[in-house]
Amino acid sequence: NAGVTQTPKFQVLKTGQSMTLQCAQDMNHNSMYWYRQDPGMGLRLIYYSASEGTTDKGEVPNGYNVSRLNKREFSLRLESAAPSQTSVYFCASSDNSPIQYFGAGTRLSVL
Amino acid sequence: KNEVEQSPQNLTAQEGEFITINCSYSVGISALHWLQQHPGGGIVSLFMLSSGKKKHGRLIATINIQEKHSSLHITASHPRDSAVYICAAMTGNQFYFGTGTSLTVIP
């Protein structure tokens, strides 16, 4: 059972480039989340989607957009990457319970 | 200001020692979540609790709602317990994460 799958695992971008991080879950969960993790900062919520067709801003949404394509997929887009977006990105899902299931993470470097 | 504070930030223990990691939170919560992040980066859920105590193997989690405090205990620690332990407070639809406690268990 795959759980939460994130792609890619690693990415290097130049400043100004765009890219989309993909996330898919096969647990039929309603809620999906995007976090970034930076040293000394803990996990910070970028955007979340409580159900298919809805998205809401989290703590640090600036510079990002999201799409809840269907119940399974929740993508995170960087339209014009900046060095400050160098981070590890985690996607997570939950069935509206406190248990979240995390993907393996995407390590993004913006040069 | 962090809604969730963890201590200590770093912890080194000898194999076999009893370990305690603390988590204090300032928000009203519906549940508290303990996570383990492996050196490779993967995150797994350990416990979810909203009251009392839960035990799984050598891991024990407790929560005191009145004091807004939770602890994660590891008995008979082992080098494979080396990881970052993160507590997360759930309120509404959102989670607030501590910055994690990095545990190293030395053989």
Side-chain angles (χ1 to χ4, degrees), chain A residues 23-42:
Chain A
C23 176
Q25 51 91 10
D26 61 3
M27 296 173 283
N28 202 36
H29 286 168
N30 285 319
S31 298
M32 296 185 75
Y33 307 80
W34 275 107
Y35 295 95
R36 60 179 289 174
Q37 186 180 40
D38 302 291
M41 299 289 287

Side-chain angles (χ1 to χ4, degrees), chain B residues 50 69 82:
Chain B
S50 53
H69 182 267
S82 298

Side-chain angles (χ1 to χ4, degrees), chain B residues 25-73:
Chain B
Y25 53 92
S26 58
V27 293
I29 67 166
S30 53
L32 189 119
H33 201 179
W34 280 101
L35 306 164
Q36 181 190 54
Q37 185 168 26
H38 296 292
I43 299 174
V44 297
S45 168
L46 295 175
F47 293 104
M48 181 278 295
L49 65 167
S50 53
S51 65
K53 176 178 169 178
K54 286 195 174 180
K55 185 174 189 292
H56 181 70
R58 294 180 295 105
L59 301 178
I60 304 165
T62 62
I63 188 167
N64 184 318
I65 297 293
Q66 287 74 29
E67 294 185 5
K68 295 189 173 181
H69 182 267
S70 176
S71 293
L72 177 69
H73 306 285

Side-chain angles (χ1 to χ4, degrees), chain B residues 1-17:
Chain B
K1 169 188 167 300
N2 283 343
E3 288 82 1
V4 178
E5 299 277 355
Q6 281 185 242
S7 63
Q9 280 191 311
N10 297 286
L11 182 56
T12 300
Q14 290 291 132
E15 184 173 357
E17 283 186 10

Side-chain angles (χ1 to χ4, degrees), chain A residues 35 37 40 45 90 98-100, chain B residues 31 33 37 41 48 90 95 97:
Chain A
Y35 295 95
Q37 186 180 40
L45 182 65
F90 287 95
I99 300 287
Q100 288 199 331
Chain B
H33 201 179
Q37 185 168 26
M48 181 278 295
M90 183 182 185
F95 287 77
F97 292 84

